[in-house]
Amino acid sequence: MVLAMMSACNNNHKTGPVSSHIDSVLFEEGRLKHYMHMVELADSFEQSGHLTKLNANRWRGVAYYHQGQYRMAEVCYKKALECEVKTDQDQLCYNKVARRLSELLLVKGDYEGALRVAIPAIAQMDKTGIGSDIDYAILLNNIGCCQLNLGQDTEAQKSFNSARDHYTKRWQTDVTSRGYQEAVLGTVYTSMAYINTRRYAESIYWIDRTEMLLDKYRQQDDARVEYFDEYQGRIYIMRAVALQGLKQPKEAAKAYQEFLKTDYSKTGAGRINANDYLIAAHRYNDAADNYRNLDNLLNQTGIELSLDNIQLYLLPKFRANLEAGRRDSAYNIAANILGLLDSAIIAQKNSSTAELATIYDTQGKEAEIARHQADLTHQRFVSTGIAMVLIIIFFGIYTLHKRNTARRMAAAHQELEEAHGKLQAAYDKLEETTTAKERYESELRIARDIQQSIVPSEFPQHKQLDLYAYMMPAKEVGGDLYDYLLEDNHLYVCLGDVSGKGVPAALFMGQVTRMFRALAREKCMPQEIATRLNAEFTEQNDNGMFVTMFIAFIDMNTGRMDFCNAGHNPPVLDGKFMEIESNAPIGLWPELDFVGEHIDNIKGCSLLLYSDGLNEAENRRQEQFGDDRLLKILHDNHFEGAQQVIKYLCDAVEKHRDGAEPNDDLTMMALKII
């Protein structure tokens, strides 16, 4: 069929319709997973002159990539980028190759190499004007991940924001769901980059954005259903790792429990990815149990145990069993690693020879191959030495463990006698400690009274406005806030949630409230207020605190509401969640320009603002109040005014808790323009 198609076309159009048809044929081979046949076809089409060298190497790279032969894929992609770009079609192909290669280098940790590919590709697209939004988005996202891993935080944030803008343009103009699918993958990489660099607070924002994009993708008619469960599982496990890193083990465990509800968690890949959380949470026994599936996973996927894969899979398995105290299992894994090293080194040499043959086309390049072969052999020798050192360390630890056990038993008796003496001293200090505790509690009560005085306790008596708000900290003091300013039928309102709890959050809350009032009196629009607040609080923010916030300006004469949402929960307008732009929280990254939105007329509509202490309120079984329950209450009941709405919701939350202690600050504001 392909030969007939080619013979029917004039040779003067080899780079036009014929090339397009050939790409379709090769794509179909990939869809059917006939990867070796894809390579054979690419070779044939290149020899016949119907496929450029650049495009042929691109398709070879795709085939090797999907077979898990990433080093060969990298070689083919690099050869493609060495080709001259002559036509617009070549430029489009160049863009795709640069995307794939920079991603490969990023995943293997070669950040400088990835930047050397991605940055010139962006410059080339800017110069020629040829490149889609998705080309820009993926390359910028890869650049951001590299910059973050290299410690260039500010530059990384700019790259991520630019990538986000291009992703947005893609799905706004694309009639298919592909833009959302690619955006989900991009934000997964971004989230993982922040997690890997231990910037857990920032990673939460990108994890939330990933979940939002997945929801949008799920709503598309042509979305691929098989992606939903897997990526939802990845989101839960990333959230669990990030929350564990933020020292919120209870919330991390909840995210992990949600992960376990997905089908992805029951797959081999899901169990292995779960170990990122389990090891971070020091749940080594669970991690060791998960690694029991590793051998089956490697057999199913056909992954060869090369030196790189031994380091990636077997060494973490060894560590999990060692930390879990399973010495016999750790010994067996160590012995297995030793047995695999010899065959892995031989396989690596053969693979390296094949790679070099691909690079140099094997003709007249024997000397060059030998030189590179020597370099590769040296690198593998170093890797083998490292592995041997790890095994020796294991046996050393095992021997020392036995000796230390006897020493610890001898020391235990001495510690017991010392503990008795300390206990007597503790009793002597009990009275003093009790007095200090009472003084501390008294100071907290004073701090709470001061904080309560910051937020309004009286609400406007205005014929066009019905407004009421409520705030209850989970501890003596908290980080939630609300405020309003009414002047000349112009109403400013805000509601926010500061990261963390206790006195630091309360101090931050007081500063935010003070600045909001000052900027509202200057008649700033909501997005300008958010931008200026962010500029103020990103300076010297050593504690990494931030605030999610909803800010609105309402003209009560016309009913128009201008608003800006800074990473906060979507308000409920007339019983439905508002569809809003998801800006970043305030205080995380400098030099952000927040996006504002508006609704032409909200007269007669009920508006509810709230913190996540409402929908995430938990009972004794750690079941949340939930969004559905909130909407049902607002839908099923008729309320006489804003105060009745707030009081009804307070009672509903208290009933749901069923005696459980509040797990978060609770703040709500209800209003209606009459």
Side-chain angles (χ1 to χ4, degrees), residues 101 228 237 298:
L101 180 56
F228 300 157
I237 206 65
L298 297 177

Side-chain angles (χ1 to χ4, degrees), residues 348-415:
Q348 192 67 56
K349 289 180 180 179
N350 294 335
S351 175
S352 299
T353 302
E355 292 170 23
L356 293 169
T358 303
I359 296 172
Y360 299 112
D361 296 329
T362 67
Q363 297 179 1
K365 301 292 182 179
E366 290 81 1
E368 192 70 21
I369 291 175
R371 184 176 64 82
H372 281 269
Q373 184 74 56
D375 292 341
L376 288 166
T377 301
H378 175 71
Q379 293 172 13
R380 301 312 164 197
F381 178 77
V382 172
S383 299
T384 304
I386 292 171
M388 292 295 292
V389 168
L390 288 171
I391 302 305
I392 293 169
I393 289 172
F394 162 68
F395 286 113
I397 292 172
Y398 187 71
T399 303
L400 288 173
H401 172 73
K402 287 187 174 181
R403 293 179 181 175
N404 290 337
T405 299
R407 292 174 184 172
R408 284 197 297 269
M409 290 296 292
H413 180 71
Q414 180 65 28
E415 290 176 359

Side-chain angles (χ1 to χ4, degrees), residues 63-127:
Y64 287 126
Y65 177 87
H66 286 291
Q67 292 178 89
Q69 299 183 39
Y70 302 123
R71 291 171 61 83
M72 288 295 290
E74 181 182 330
V75 169
C76 292
Y77 288 142
K78 286 180 177 178
K79 285 177 66 69
L81 294 187
E82 292 171 359
C83 299
E84 184 180 359
V85 176
K86 299 179 180 179
T87 66
D88 292 354
Q89 187 68 28
D90 286 345
Q91 182 62 52
L92 291 172
C93 181
Y94 171 92
N95 298 345
K96 293 177 182 178
V97 171
R99 282 166 41 186
R100 284 281 195 177
L101 180 56
S102 61
E103 180 183 301
L104 267 176
L105 296 172
L106 165 64
V107 170
K108 70 183 260 187
D110 185 2
Y111 307 123
E112 294 182 3
L115 289 175
R116 284 195 295 268
V117 171
I119 291 176
I122 291 286
Q124 184 71 7
M125 286 192 290
D126 288 337
K127 178 181 178 181

Side-chain angles (χ1 to χ4, degrees), residues 15 77 84 95 156 438 449 487 537 549 567 612:
T15 60
Y77 288 142
E84 184 180 359
N95 298 345
E438 290 174 352
D449 292 339
E487 292 181 354
F537 290 116
M549 204 169 179
D612 55 13

Side-chain angles (χ1 to χ4, degrees), residues 140-152:
L140 285 166
N141 203 80
N142 292 345
I143 289 171
C145 290
C146 293
Q147 291 169 328
L148 192 63
N149 280 282
L150 292 171
Q152 301 171 4

